[in-house]
Amino acid sequence: MAVERVATGFRWAEGPVYFPAGRYVLFSDIPNNRIMRYSEDDGHLSVFRQPSMNSNGNTIDREGRLITCEHSGRRVTRTELDGSITIIADKYNGKKLNSPNDAVVASDGSIWFTDPVYGIGGNYEGIKAAPEQEKHNVYRVDPKSGDVKVVVDDFVEPNGITFSPDEKKLYVIDTGFTDGPDNPSHIRVFDVDVGAGKVSNGKVFAEMPKPSITDGMRCDTDGRIWCSVGWGDPNEDGVRCYAPDGDLLGKIHIPETVANLCFGGTYRNRLYICGSTSLYAVYTSVQGAMKP
């Protein structure tokens, strides 16, 4: 189960998502303003979309449609099956979102996403602008009405987001450490009522070794959390795997800062890892939950 570098040549690879129907991985190359596609069957690499509005996090809904968080668009979009793009969320309380970062889709079709300010801090991974939202929130988009509601409002910089396989837990990363040494670099976990759109009993699930941060994560079928690590000690660059109770089970070392990851492959047992300039892959002994 060696780690393979399957593609390279990117400025900052992020937001991988696997499409089982086509056996390909889509992922963002944020500064290059494009979404890339890696075909699993023959290893072919191509540009899926350019410009991508400096897309960051991507996921897939239950109908097989691409959900994308866009920095320069300051919005969450859905790519319909005919290729057209639908805006899911671009405002809250009449004001622009900051820069949606990562998203997850629940089984009822609700879309949950994070909204830090990274994409409007400069012109490298978005378009420099003043934030209009006072807080850096986690939001939920109602599947029927499309209403956008705040789920959690006390993050410094909310980032990666995922559900447990049974959708009873919501995990959200806080990368606030990028804004100051006293801010968090950890994963929080909440009890969640998906249908009501409410969370409770929030607590820290796992602390990262500062100055490293985690950025993105996925869950396997047994509820373990697989998360990225980077931007700090090079010896920590890679992936961490945590048990559902928060115990660190193991690490996968990658020679670059890792921003995000997803499970893919025919048996959902291949972990795709976005490591800055490259896309890596490694077969594991587990299966990804493969719920968005």
Side-chain angles (χ1 to χ4, degrees):
M1 297 183 185
V3 175
E4 305 167 79
R5 188 170 73 174
V6 296
T8 192
F10 319 112
R11 279 215 168 88
W12 181 12
E14 244 280 22
V17 57
Y18 184 76
F19 283 75
R23 289 191 58 203
Y24 58 83
V25 182
L26 296 183
F27 59 97
S28 299
D29 185 1
I30 302 177
N32 283 327
N33 198 16
R34 59 186 182 171
I35 296 176
M36 305 300 298
R37 178 171 61 185
Y38 172 77
S39 295
E40 193 175 60
D41 52 0
D42 64 357
H44 180 70
L45 181 72
S46 58
V47 175
F48 174 78
R49 177 182 297 159
Q50 190 173 29
S52 66
M53 306 294 279
N54 298 105
S55 65
N56 189 336
N58 297 286
T59 191
I60 184 174
D61 69 8
R62 295 303 199 275
E63 288 71 48
R65 298 171 296 191
L66 172 67
I67 306 293
T68 300
C69 294
E70 300 175 356
H71 278 181
S72 56
R74 297 173 73 167
R75 63 187 189 176
V76 180
T77 62
R78 180 177 64 229
T79 302
E80 307 295 347
L81 298 179
D82 65 0
S84 61
I85 294 176
T86 300
I87 298 172
I88 300 298
D90 62 355
K91 292 182 176 67
Y92 175 69
N93 278 350
K95 297 180 178 180
K96 286 183 180 180
L97 298 172
N98 293 323
S99 58
N101 190 286
D102 211 351
V104 64
V105 183
S107 56
D108 67 350
S110 59
I111 298 172
W112 304 57
F113 69 93
T114 58
D115 189 40
V117 294
Y118 295 122
I120 55 175
N123 295 316
Y124 184 64
E125 53 178 298
I127 299 172
K128 187 175 177 60
E132 296 185 20
Q133 299 295 333
E134 180 183 353
K135 294 186 175 182
H136 306 165
N137 297 318
V138 180
Y139 295 96
R140 174 186 182 270
V141 183
D142 188 87
K144 294 183 175 66
S145 67
D147 288 344
V148 181
K149 301 289 187 187
V150 173
V151 179
V152 195
D153 68 355
D154 64 347
F155 277 80
V156 181
E157 297 286 8
N159 210 310
I161 183 170
T162 196
F163 288 111
S164 60
D166 60 8
E167 293 188 346
K168 292 182 178 180
K169 302 285 185 185
L170 176 71
Y171 298 87
V172 185
I173 291 168
D174 196 335
T175 50
F177 179 72
T178 59
D179 295 7
D182 297 328
N183 289 331
S185 174
H186 61 212
I187 302 171
R188 290 169 65 183
V189 61
F190 303 85
D191 295 330
V192 60
D193 183 331
V194 166
K198 294 183 178 179
V199 302
S200 57
N201 302 322
K203 63 180 182 181
V204 174
F205 173 73
E207 291 281 0
M208 294 301 121
K210 293 179 179 179
S212 296
I213 60 172
T214 181
D215 193 333
M217 59 186 164
R218 291 291 192 276
C219 215
D220 68 25
T221 53
D222 293 323
R224 288 175 288 258
I225 292 292
W226 298 68
C227 69
S228 68
V229 183
W231 290 282
D233 181 353
N235 293 318
E236 296 288 352
D237 285 353
V239 176
R240 287 184 164 214
C241 177
Y242 289 92
D245 63 2
D247 281 349
L248 178 62
L249 297 177
K251 306 176 185 179
I252 301 171
H253 183 67
I254 301 294
E256 298 186 71
T257 274
V258 174
N260 216 327
L261 45 83
C262 74
F263 284 98
T266 305
Y267 301 103
R268 310 191 307 275
N269 64 337
R270 197 178 195 192
L271 190 66
Y272 285 98
I273 302 165
C274 282
S276 300
T277 68
S278 306
L279 179 69
Y280 297 87
V282 59
Y283 285 99
T284 71
S285 56
V286 305
Q287 290 182 298
M290 284 302 283
K291 294 198 170 83

